[in-house]
Amino acid sequence: MSRELNPPMGSPVPGVSERPPDNGGMDYRDWVRRSYLELVSSNHHSAQALSWRKLYLSRAKLKASSRTSALLSGFAMVAMVEVELDTEYSYSRELLIAFSVCTTVLVAVHLFALLISTCILPNVEAVSNIHNLNSVSESPHERMHHYIELAWGFSTALGIVLFLAEVVLLCWVKFLPVDAGGAKGTGDCDAAAAPGNQTQPTHAPASNSGWQAAVASTIIMIPVIVVFLVFTVKFYRSLVRHKTERHHQEIEELHKIKVQLDGQERGLQSV
């Protein structure tokens, strides 16, 4: 581009008669016109390249969202179906409600992200396989940008946090009845209510191994969730900062091109 903006050796100056230059018979006006057309053409190709980069980025996000959502929602469904609740143990009502709500929300979030990916991805794939620069306008990734970002956020950010919470709740549901011999169901409660029998505790004491295992899993998972949230925030801030700096750089380049074109236009008018 810098080579094209250099004026030819035979360009006229104010007060000097115009004569044909030695490089192909192109005078100053033709050179300015050609330079302007090439700059417009290069900007058009740059805009198309930017659209293609956005298309490939959207396709990669949709693929990652679909795979992650299918995997984690499958794990959540298996955890819900395969978990075996101890019928002789009196679970806390809050624990059961939290486990069912977390599992349901987790599956719903990932299935919603999977639905968006399944609906948009084929249309993006069909355009990305066409080796034509002008076909990028046929892709719906620009119009569906907000849905793509929503699926990406549900699958990677919210979905993973819910999955980590699901692991913690599953550990409590699975390990809490272990060594909880005093916590029985309704039959043992009736027996305990009989004359001469002492009332049995309804929850596991803090000394049994199941309660300790559940607490250990919670202690391990809390720092993992914190690290995940910190990494997510820092990653997105760094990504936004990179995009902002890149946009500022492009604006400065466009401003330099405008200044050069204005200078050449003033020189042409003075001629």
Side-chain angles (χ1 to χ4, degrees):
M1 185 178 295
S2 60
R3 178 180 61 83
E4 295 295 339
L5 291 176
N6 292 326
M9 297 300 296
S11 60
V13 294
V16 180
S17 61
E18 187 175 339
R19 60 182 178 86
D22 296 333
N23 52 350
M26 181 179 64
D27 59 2
Y28 187 71
R29 292 185 179 86
D30 293 335
W31 172 80
V32 172
R33 188 179 301 108
R34 179 183 175 185
S35 300
Y36 176 75
L37 292 176
E38 289 183 356
L39 286 173
V40 172
S41 177
S42 63
N43 291 334
H44 178 67
H45 289 301
S46 299
Q48 284 187 339
L50 179 61
S51 298
W52 276 104
R53 286 197 299 268
K54 290 181 179 179
L55 186 145
Y56 287 132
L57 179 61
S58 300
R59 185 181 68 171
K61 285 184 176 181
L62 290 173
K63 284 185 176 181
S65 299
S66 61
R67 294 170 183 172
T68 305
S69 297
L71 184 65
L72 295 185
S73 61
F75 282 158
M77 288 299 299
V78 170
M80 173 67 83
V81 173
E82 295 296 331
V83 65
E84 296 180 358
L85 297 179
D86 191 356
T87 56
E88 296 182 356
Y89 179 76
S90 178
Y91 288 95
S92 172
R93 179 186 302 175
E94 292 79 8
L95 177 61
L96 294 178
I97 294 176
F99 178 69
S100 61
V101 169
C102 183
T103 305
T104 306
V105 174
L106 174 62
V107 174
V109 165
H110 281 295
L111 288 182
F112 183 68
L114 185 60
L115 173 65
I116 296 176
S117 302
T118 305
C119 293
I120 303 178
L121 185 58
N123 299 281
V124 177
E125 285 278 5
V127 176
S128 64
N129 293 328
I130 301 176
H131 301 287
N132 186 2
L133 292 177
N134 297 323
S135 63
V136 66
S137 59
E138 301 177 3
S139 175
H141 68 281
E142 292 286 351
R143 184 182 296 272
M144 300 293 178
H145 173 71
H146 298 289
Y147 295 101
I148 295 173
E149 294 297 329
L150 183 64
W152 172 256
F154 275 5
S155 179
T156 57
L158 181 60
I160 294 180
V161 172
L162 289 174
F163 185 78
L164 295 176
E166 174 79 7
V167 172
V168 174
L169 294 174
L170 183 61
C171 290
W172 279 94
V173 172
K174 190 70 176 178
F175 295 128
L176 200 57
V178 177
D179 292 342
K184 299 297 181 181
T186 57
D188 291 335
C189 291
D190 295 338
N197 293 334
Q198 296 181 354
T199 304
Q200 299 293 337
T202 58
H203 300 290
S207 59
N208 63 58
S209 59
W211 189 88
Q212 294 175 357
V215 171
S217 65
T218 306
I219 293 175
I220 293 173
M221 194 59 67
I222 289 177
V224 173
I225 296 176
V226 173
V227 170
F228 174 78
L229 294 176
V230 171
F231 170 77
T232 303
V233 172
K234 286 185 174 294
F235 171 75
Y236 278 102
R237 289 185 62 183
S238 301
L239 187 61
V240 170
R241 188 182 301 113
H242 171 72
K243 290 184 177 180
T244 305
E245 293 175 356
R246 184 61 183 168
H247 288 322
H248 282 304
Q249 184 179 359
E250 292 177 355
I251 291 173
E252 290 178 358
E253 292 177 357
L254 291 175
H255 180 68
K256 291 179 181 179
I257 294 173
K258 179 181 178 298
V259 170
Q260 291 176 356
L261 288 176
D262 291 340
Q264 299 298 335
E265 184 179 357
R266 286 194 298 269
L268 180 60
Q269 291 177 356
S270 62
V271 173

